[in-house]
Amino acid sequence: MEAMDDDSSDMKDDHNHNYCASGGGKVRAHPRSQRSVPRSAGAPEPGAEPEPRRGKLWPGSTGSKFMDSDSGSESSEVSETDCAAPPAAGDGTCGRDSTAKFLLNAMAVEDYRNNHWPNLEKAIDRLLIQNPTDHISVSYAQIYSYVYKCVCQQHSELLYNDLTMKITNHLQQVSTHLQASPPEDFIENFNVALTQYTASLQCIVPVFMYLNKFYIESKLSRDLREDLMTLFAQHVAEVHVNTLMPLLIKAHSMPFQVQPSTMASVVKGLHSLRPDWAQLAPPLFCGFIPQVHPPAVASLLPDYAAHDQELQRELCLSGFPRGDQSRKRASEDS
């Protein structure tokens, strides 16, 4: 018992259960005490140099957010203002991040040039050359998907420029083809070009809906269909209007020289492109477009009556009889 008391007096227990000899100064740690104080994550070993903190990209990010490789927590975001500030001594994080963004943008543009636009261009070619009665097998869902991806990848301006340039080149070829048309077929060929182009837009405009909604309407304050019809007016109609208008006036003075449906389609099409073209030939346009002339004035009623009588006389001289007048109701004065 005295030996045990001596041992207990020599060993003293502290709050960590480390038993210290009273006279020797040596500390013997309890085995549990070594596991109770874990070494912090990332802490260097004694005598070793600290390793640089490593991270991994947050899934779906563009390289600006990082996740801690140990804990999986999101690290601070590297913004443009951070890149503008001078980096810490020897820290090249900002330069690497800017380079990564530049490479990602370059890869996205390259993907657009190599994959998205070639497929869209082929589909546009097929839609532009189709006839209204033809059925062309085109995957509208595929075109819609390509347009959606281009808009989401911030290629709206690039896509709009490519689209308008593609259609401009097509319309220039149409104009060259019309220029070689003989006068007797010019009205018919112009009507075919206008009808075919209008039918193509009924397919092109809907599949480019995302481009129209999120770029043309929101940023340019315009409409895709109006822009494409303006291209037809600039590159086709304006080029040939001085040739087309005399032919229309001549055909209008000689009934059934041109099909009435063709005359109506061309005249209405010209008026929809440029309403001011109606002033080049008001008698022609007023036969197909209402309210081309200004409103009637009471003081000009005698002139209107004289004009109608002159028109009736011209029709009679042209071989159009007035019909059987014997069944006309007699006047009350007779």
Side-chain angles (χ1 to χ4, degrees), residues 39-282:
R39 184 170 57 92
S40 60
E45 295 290 340
E49 295 183 357
E51 296 182 358
R53 185 179 183 87
R54 292 176 295 179
K56 58 184 178 180
L57 290 175
W58 184 270
S61 66
T62 58
S64 61
K65 293 183 179 180
F66 291 87
M67 289 175 55
D68 184 74
S69 58
D70 297 329
S71 61
S73 60
E74 182 180 349
S75 178
S76 59
E77 182 178 357
V78 180
S79 62
E80 295 179 358
T81 55
D82 298 333
C83 293
D91 187 7
T93 303
C94 179
R96 291 194 301 269
D97 186 63
S98 300
T99 304
K101 289 182 180 180
F102 176 79
L103 292 176
L104 286 174
N105 292 333
M107 292 174 62
V109 173
E110 183 179 2
D111 183 56
Y112 167 83
R113 288 298 184 193
N114 296 334
N115 298 323
H116 297 338
W117 174 244
N119 293 317
L120 288 173
E121 187 177 18
K122 293 177 183 178
I124 294 170
D125 282 332
R126 301 187 67 181
L127 293 175
L128 287 174
I129 63 177
Q130 69 172 338
N131 293 321
T133 57
D134 292 344
H135 174 72
I136 298 179
S137 177
V138 177
S139 177
Y140 293 99
Q142 191 72 24
I143 304 174
Y144 189 88
S145 175
Y146 285 132
V147 174
Y148 177 79
K149 291 178 181 178
C150 292
V151 173
C152 292
Q153 293 176 3
Q154 305 299 321
H155 297 319
S156 299
E157 182 178 3
L158 188 60
L159 178 60
Y160 176 75
N161 293 334
D162 288 340
L163 175 63
T164 53
M165 182 59 65
K166 178 66 180 179
I167 293 182
T168 298
N169 294 335
H170 168 76
L171 293 177
Q172 290 175 350
Q173 296 176 2
V174 172
S175 179
T176 303
H177 177 73
L178 283 175
Q179 194 170 1
S181 299
E184 60 272 14
D185 298 332
F186 192 88
I187 297 177
E188 183 67 31
N189 291 339
F190 183 88
N191 180 59
V192 170
L194 177 60
T195 304
Q196 183 176 350
Y197 183 74
T198 305
S200 300
L201 295 189
Q202 293 178 357
C203 301
I204 294 175
V205 172
V207 295
F208 281 84
M209 181 193 69
Y210 269 93
L211 178 67
N212 186 38
K213 181 177 181 181
F214 293 102
Y215 178 72
I216 301 176
E217 290 183 354
S218 61
K219 294 186 178 181
L220 303 182
S221 301
R222 297 201 303 265
D223 181 72
L224 177 60
R225 190 181 189 282
E226 293 178 359
D227 285 1
L228 298 183
M229 290 302 296
T230 301
L231 291 178
F232 187 90
Q234 293 175 350
H235 299 284
V236 180
E238 286 183 0
V239 177
H240 302 287
V241 66
N242 294 329
T243 303
L244 182 62
M245 199 62 66
L247 295 174
L248 290 173
I249 295 174
K250 181 181 178 180
H252 185 64
S253 63
M254 302 175 64
F256 300 103
Q257 182 181 6
V258 179
Q259 290 293 331
S261 59
T262 302
M263 288 288 297
S265 176
V266 173
V267 173
K268 291 180 180 180
L270 291 176
H271 186 266
S272 64
L273 294 174
R274 294 287 174 83
D276 56 337
W277 280 343
Q279 304 305 319
L280 299 177

Side-chain angles (χ1 to χ4, degrees), residues 279 286 289-301 303-304:
Q279 304 305 319
C286 70
I289 307 297
Q291 299 180 354
V292 171
H293 287 301
V297 181
S299 60
L300 297 178
L301 289 178
D303 296 337
Y304 301 151

